[in-house]
Amino acid sequence: MKNIILNPIYGIRNDETCSFIYVIDDSFETLIKKLPDALEIPPLYGYILSYFQNPCSIEEAIKKISEYTSIKANSISIFIQKIINNKTSLGIKYGNKFITLPPDLLISDNDNIKERARIKTNNKFNCFNAFSKSRPTCPAKVTIMLTTRCKTDCIYCYADRYQKTDFKLDEILPLIDDCYSSGVLKVNLSGGDIFAYKEWKSVIKKMNTYNYVPFLSTKIPLSTEEILFLQENGIKEIQLSLDTISENEINILVKRDQAYIDHIKNMLEACKELGLKVNTRTVLTKYNTTVSSLQDLYRFFSKYQVYSWTIVPATYSSYREGYESYQADITSLQQCKDYIDKLSENSTINISFNKLKDSESLNIKYQTVNDFLTYNKGCIVTSHNLTINVYGQVTLCELFYNKSKYHLGNAKKQSIHELWNSDLVKDFFNFHIHSIPKNTESPCYKCDSYAQCKVGNSKKVCLVDIVNAYGEDKWDYPDPRCPYAPKCDMNLLTK
């Protein structure tokens, strides 16, 4: 009999009246699928999926689930068969609600999969409870900022380079413990640069005790010993950000010299020999947005068998002056994109050029509200995720780590449970910020789509872009991409 297992790229939270499916795997293979971060499903579906946390035969599962729920075995079989190795999302009508299930939810255990999907079940959960969409009782993901430090000085830096602060180790380790005991499915780390934190090994080791596998991105060349340590602690891949291999360009872009590039070579050679998968990322400014620069990088990456290469134009940073002075022009970006599109057809490296459509500016305003609600990438902070800055403060976005108006409590003084259930955090679920007055002139308050856009688990707005476009006190204005949004400089957007 064929064994089936719940795909370990997903996690399940079972709450009293609603279950949730989360993507908790940050590997490149998962990221390129562009799966929804969170999906709400009926408790019954949550129970059925949870049954497959460990491999079991379809026949056994159908029999046991049918016995427990008193649902006909044939009905259960039809449902399960639909979601085994399904390559596309599946829409199902459940009562008067429409439910979406992601692809590859249940998979064949042909390779004796070692990983297990994370499942957390609330003590009030009952698969027979009526389905009612709700805010989860615990965050699915917590992102912790380890440090503001970095070892490069990028021309397009998205952080405040004047701050040099670390999260104390004796405070961060208990915080990770608290995340696990509270039922957090995923813990991620951010910076600064994670590897500029002196005690990063202790943090990674603690994470590994709970099988938390963080997404790691760096510009710092790692030694062979450091790469081995990562592998021993559950890390299978890493993202290396490298914008050029030209000595002149590297000096302009990140204030480093040829020795830096040589250290990068040593790191990539070690990763190749030890089998650590490397995903690379290149940010384009006017200084490196040339086909020749990308050709040099491609030859360089090919030599070391990097797995993927993501290319993005530099976007606006509120911490850097003179965006126009280093911004790449659309014509040069389009020439580079044309080159990459052709190159990727036969490349052994998985290449993607993000944030640019043919012959368009980086940021566009949608023509209709329906298009905006359908396609604009929104925000799930305080609905499903928590972000904690280097001072322990919960922030509405990691890019707001030093903007006190958008801080909602402190993890050094409150538990994850207390923070998640605090009035400050829960109020933003309904798009309220008590520390900042409402702007009654905002077009949002007259819009029929207000609740669909700004209230609930999946908001369709980016608060950072709103603040960048209109100012800190205009937090409740429309997302600049909304057709009702006041005119603004679209170059100020970050997404």
Side-chain angles (χ1 to χ4, degrees):
M1 294 186 290
K2 181 171 66 173
N3 277 354
I4 301 299
I5 191 171
L6 178 61
N7 194 333
I9 71 170
Y10 296 111
I12 303 287
R13 174 170 303 289
N14 293 314
D15 279 346
E16 185 174 2
T17 63
C18 185
S19 292
F20 303 87
I21 302 174
Y22 295 107
V23 177
I24 60 171
D25 177 65
D26 287 327
S27 69
F28 178 81
E29 286 294 336
T30 298
L31 291 176
I32 61 173
K33 294 177 182 178
K34 297 183 178 180
L35 301 168
D37 294 313
L39 291 169
E40 300 150 319
I41 60 173
L44 177 61
Y45 289 2
Y47 168 75
I48 293 173
L49 293 173
S50 299
Y51 192 89
F52 290 92
Q53 184 177 29
N54 294 305
C56 66
S57 69
I58 300 174
E59 294 79 7
E60 174 200 334
I62 292 171
K63 182 176 182 295
K64 295 290 186 181
I65 294 171
S66 178
E67 288 175 352
Y68 182 77
T69 62
S70 298
I71 297 174
K72 291 181 179 179
N74 185 57
S75 298
I76 296 171
S77 176
I78 291 172
F79 173 74
I80 290 175
Q81 293 289 351
K82 284 182 179 179
I83 58 175
I84 296 175
N85 299 320
N86 58 309
K87 296 306 175 187
T88 58
S89 296
L90 179 66
I92 298 177
K93 191 171 183 182
Y94 187 90
N96 61 354
K97 295 182 174 67
F98 188 79
I99 308 302
T100 300
L101 298 176
D104 291 319
L105 195 49
L106 297 181
I107 55 176
S108 303
D109 187 32
N110 297 329
D111 300 319
N112 295 317
I113 299 169
K114 295 180 180 179
E115 294 86 0
R116 296 290 180 265
R118 285 185 176 271
I119 298 174
K120 297 294 181 180
T121 299
N122 187 284
N123 57 14
K124 293 184 179 180
F125 174 76
N126 187 325
C127 69
F128 303 110
N129 286 343
F131 175 38
S132 175
K133 293 185 178 182
S134 61
R135 181 175 179 265
T137 55
C138 176
K141 182 172 79 172
V142 172
T143 299
I144 304 169
M145 188 179 196
L146 283 185
T147 182
T148 61
R149 301 178 194 276
C150 197
K151 293 189 178 180
T152 55
D153 187 10
C154 302
I155 194 173
Y156 50 81
C157 183
Y158 302 110
D160 185 348
R161 297 290 289 125
Y162 294 103
Q163 294 192 30
K164 306 291 183 185
T165 308
D166 297 319
F167 209 124
K168 292 181 180 178
L169 185 64
D170 61 1
E171 292 174 325
I172 195 170
L173 297 185
L175 178 56
I176 296 170
D177 291 332
D178 188 26
C179 286
Y180 182 78
S181 61
S182 298
V184 174
L185 299 173
K186 174 79 175 179
V187 175
N188 256 335
L189 304 173
S190 69
D193 194 303
I194 294 164
F195 297 103
Y197 184 68
K198 289 183 179 179
E199 304 290 343
W200 67 263
K201 288 184 179 180
S202 297
V203 176
I204 296 293
K205 194 170 184 177
K206 167 65 77 170
M207 299 269 283
N208 188 45
T209 63
Y210 297 126
N211 291 320
Y212 285 139
V213 181
F215 173 81
L216 299 179
S217 180
T218 188
K219 277 186 164 70
I220 297 175
L222 301 177
S223 68
T224 299
E225 182 273 329
E226 290 170 329
I227 293 167
L228 281 168
F229 176 86
L230 290 175
Q231 290 182 308
E232 291 166 358
N233 284 274
I235 305 300
K236 297 179 180 178
E237 58 185 81
I238 192 170
Q239 177 176 281
L240 172 69
S241 294
L242 184 65
D243 302 328
T244 181
I245 57 168
S246 159
E247 183 176 3
N248 180 54
E249 290 174 4
I250 206 75
N251 181 262
I252 295 171
L253 293 173
V254 301
K255 304 294 189 295
R256 287 296 176 265
D257 55 18
Q258 182 61 43
Y260 173 80
I261 298 174
D262 292 339
H263 289 313
I264 291 290
K265 291 178 182 178
N266 294 336
M267 172 187 172
L268 289 176
E269 185 63 44
C271 288
K272 178 181 174 182
E273 291 180 3
L274 295 171
L276 182 68
K277 185 185 291 186
V278 178
N279 303 302
T280 54
R281 180 180 174 89
T282 296
V283 179
L284 296 181
T285 68
K286 75 174 187 179
Y287 299 103
N288 61 334
T289 306
T290 63
V291 170
S292 61
S293 182
L294 293 181
Q295 286 174 329
D296 290 343
L297 266 175
Y298 178 72
R299 285 191 288 267
F300 181 76
F301 290 149
S302 297
K303 179 179 179 181
Y304 298 104
Q305 298 176 8
V306 306
Y307 186 74
S308 71
W309 183 23
T310 300
I311 304 157
V312 297
T315 55
Y316 172 78
S317 169
S318 59
Y319 301 105
R320 288 292 198 195
E321 294 182 357
Y323 174 57
E324 295 80 6
S325 68
Y326 61 83
Q327 178 185 20
D329 66 85
I330 292 299
T331 300
S332 298
L333 285 171
Q334 189 62 55
Q335 290 172 349
C336 288
K337 184 178 185 301
D338 291 342
Y339 163 70
I340 291 299
D341 286 346
K342 187 173 182 61
L343 179 66
S344 61
E345 291 175 1
N346 299 303
S347 174
T348 56
I349 301 174
N350 296 283
I351 310 176
S352 58
F353 197 119
N354 293 352
K355 297 186 180 181
L356 182 70
K357 295 182 179 180
D358 292 340
S359 303
E360 291 183 350
S361 61
L362 294 182
N363 299 303
I364 61 170
K365 181 171 287 196
Y366 292 98
Q367 296 300 307
T368 68
V369 172
N370 185 61
D371 282 349
F372 171 77
L373 293 174
T374 302
Y375 300 113
N376 197 50
K377 183 173 175 58
C379 177
I380 59 174
V381 172
T382 77
S383 298
H384 298 287
N385 297 350
L386 273 186
T387 299
I388 300 172
N389 72 8
V390 72
Y391 306 103
Q393 295 154 333
V394 171
T395 70
L396 281 175
C397 178
E398 60 184 322
L399 294 178
F400 283 159
Y401 70 93
N402 65 346
K403 295 184 182 294
S404 59
K405 288 183 179 180
Y406 305 107
H407 294 168
L408 306 175
N410 197 305
K412 295 182 179 181
K413 300 176 182 178
Q414 299 162 276
S415 68
I416 293 295
H417 178 78
E418 289 170 337
L419 288 165
W420 188 249
N421 292 288
S422 69
D423 289 340
L424 287 175
V425 172
K426 289 198 294 185
D427 281 350
F428 190 70
F429 179 81
N430 294 311
F431 213 75
H432 295 157
I433 303 178
H434 291 296
S435 61
I436 314 177
K438 288 175 59 174
N439 295 283
T440 55
E441 77 279 7
S442 170
C444 293
Y445 294 116
K446 298 178 182 179
C447 182
D448 293 336
S449 300
Y450 181 88
Q452 186 179 356
C453 180
K454 287 191 169 183
V455 176
N457 285 333
S458 298
K459 297 173 177 61
K460 300 304 296 183
V461 298
C462 174
L463 196 60
V464 173
D465 283 343
I466 295 172
V467 169
N468 284 345
Y470 304 115
E472 286 194 20
D473 292 333
K474 301 292 177 58
W475 63 277
D476 53 353
Y477 266 46
D479 185 295
R481 293 175 181 80
C482 172
Y484 294 152
K487 188 177 180 181
C488 68
D489 182 355
M490 300 294 279
N491 282 329
L492 299 179
L493 310 192
T494 60
K495 286 193 300 180

